[in-house]
Amino acid sequence: MDGERPKYRRILLKLSGEAFAGEQGYGIDPDFLEYISHEIKGVHDLGVEVAVVIGGGNIFRGFQGEGIGIDRATADYMGMLATVINALALQSALERHGNIPTRVLSAIEMRQVSEPYIRRRAVRHLEKGRVVIFAGGTGNPFFSTDTAAALRAAEVDAEVLLKATKVGGIYDKDPEKNPDAVLIKEITYLEVINRGIRVMDHTALTMCKENRIPIIVFNIREKGNLRSVVLGEDVGSVVRG
């Protein structure tokens, strides 16, 4: 650890809900919780201010509502509640395994279990060295948690948005279906949009572009990758202007 200086002072980490399910495909995998809490601790110990946005796909996704007769807006709110469940689980894991002070700030008010999202409060928590977990998406239906991640990154002045995935970065085609897929180390926001590469939705990409927030896409399943990215090592792919 001696002599290691992080490249970024404040980061926003975007975790998918699917990652929380682990190999079981649904719900919350305790092994992943322990793993990701240690990964975040490794970055926090460098003195980096860490904010996290979590999806809810391991419990409920908005588009699933159409199949069971639930209107889209209501289904999206149900998905936001799922992100709160994940956020509370991660908070518990961080405090239990890493002894890291953590705060959950929700865009949907739930005063018994989280603080309401207030930008200045979030920034103050980060400045005090607390890991801040943003739950409840943007608080509005029809917006993804990717968009929530871009919005919160801009609001708290994060220097980079780290998109955690299960593959090594951005590829010219789906690497899980095409073994000849080629890793793209660097690409612009407009190229991602024009080529239809599925990194984040267009709203999130546009927000990052307008606020000059680079996006680094990397494999969270490889131990130490998060720390390597924060130290500025050549890991994953980067989207920038």
Side-chain angles (χ1 to χ4, degrees):
M1 186 179 295
D2 292 342
E4 290 185 320
R5 180 174 297 179
K7 181 177 180 179
Y8 306 104
R9 176 184 58 87
R10 180 178 294 166
I11 65 169
L12 189 137
L13 173 65
K14 170 58 170 64
L15 294 170
S16 69
E18 288 86 347
F20 276 63
E23 298 301 322
Q24 59 196 29
Y26 181 80
I28 298 173
D29 178 11
D31 291 335
F32 178 79
L33 273 183
E34 182 174 354
Y35 167 76
I36 195 62
S37 64
H38 284 299
E39 290 293 288
I40 292 173
K41 176 177 170 55
V43 169
H44 184 267
D45 287 348
L46 292 171
V48 176
E49 297 173 8
V50 183
V52 185
V53 169
I54 308 175
N58 57 318
I59 299 171
F60 192 86
R61 297 175 70 91
F63 67 78
Q64 291 176 307
E66 298 176 6
I68 52 178
I70 301 174
D71 68 88
R72 176 61 191 273
T74 300
D76 278 354
Y77 281 117
M78 292 169 66
M80 292 179 216
L81 299 181
T83 71
V84 177
I85 293 173
N86 286 337
L88 293 174
L90 179 60
Q91 178 185 40
S92 178
L94 284 168
E95 293 180 341
R96 184 173 69 255
H97 297 300
N99 196 29
I100 299 172
T102 308
R103 298 291 185 272
V104 174
L105 274 62
S106 174
I108 298 177
E109 286 201 28
M110 298 187 194
R111 292 184 181 272
Q112 287 83 354
V113 296
S114 66
E115 298 178 20
Y117 172 71
I118 299 171
R119 187 186 69 84
R120 287 180 179 271
R121 180 179 291 180
V123 170
R124 186 61 176 151
H125 283 320
L126 291 168
E127 290 172 345
K128 285 181 172 288
R130 298 162 183 156
V131 172
V132 175
I133 306 171
F134 295 119
T138 65
N140 301 287
F142 307 106
F143 291 95
S144 70
T145 49
D146 279 350
T147 297
L151 175 63
R152 298 292 181 244
E155 287 182 306
V156 302
D157 295 322
E159 296 170 342
V160 65
L161 194 161
L162 305 182
K163 169 86 170 178
T165 68
K166 57 184 178 181
V167 295
I170 300 171
Y171 292 81
D172 61 344
K173 47 193 169 186
D174 189 343
E176 295 190 317
K177 297 178 181 178
N178 304 277
D180 61 336
V182 177
L183 178 67
I184 302 170
K185 292 299 295 181
E186 186 167 335
I187 191 170
T188 68
Y189 306 102
L190 288 178
E191 282 182 292
V192 171
I193 294 172
N194 292 336
R195 293 172 61 175
I197 299 174
R198 296 179 63 182
V199 176
M200 304 178 84
D201 62 69
H202 289 187
T203 305
L205 284 165
T206 300
M207 192 169 295
C208 287
K209 176 179 179 295
E210 291 177 349
N211 291 280
R212 298 192 180 103
I213 302 170
I215 305 165
I216 297 178
V217 182
F218 69 103
N219 187 349
I220 191 63
R221 295 184 179 185
E222 290 190 16
K223 188 175 182 179
N225 260 4
L226 177 59
R227 182 185 177 92
S228 295
V229 169
V230 169
L231 289 172
E233 295 177 16
D234 186 17
V235 176
S237 305
V238 61
V239 184
R240 62 175 57 138

